[in-house]
Amino acid sequence: MKNRYFIMLLVALGLSSCATIEGIGKDLESAGEAIQEGSRDKGE
């Protein structure tokens, strides 16, 4: 549960700091990768 809040915080900070559409895409991609890693870790 703590990981979920941490990821949400990172996403919010990332979205607030990017100024271009390309930046938003990179932020969303990295957030998606973090979620995938978290689900892999939890599944093991």
Side-chain angles (χ1 to χ4, degrees):
M1 189 87 151
K2 292 181 184 180
N3 287 338
R4 187 176 298 171
Y5 290 124
F6 181 70
I7 291 171
M8 288 173 30
L9 176 64
L10 288 177
V11 169
L13 289 173
L15 289 175
S16 67
S17 67
C18 62
T20 64
I21 298 298
E22 183 180 354
I24 292 172
K26 288 180 181 178
D27 289 342
L28 290 176
E29 181 180 5
S30 64
E33 289 173 357
I35 292 169
Q36 285 178 344
E37 287 296 319
S39 66
R40 283 188 200 130
D41 292 343
K42 185 138 183 135
E44 292 180 357

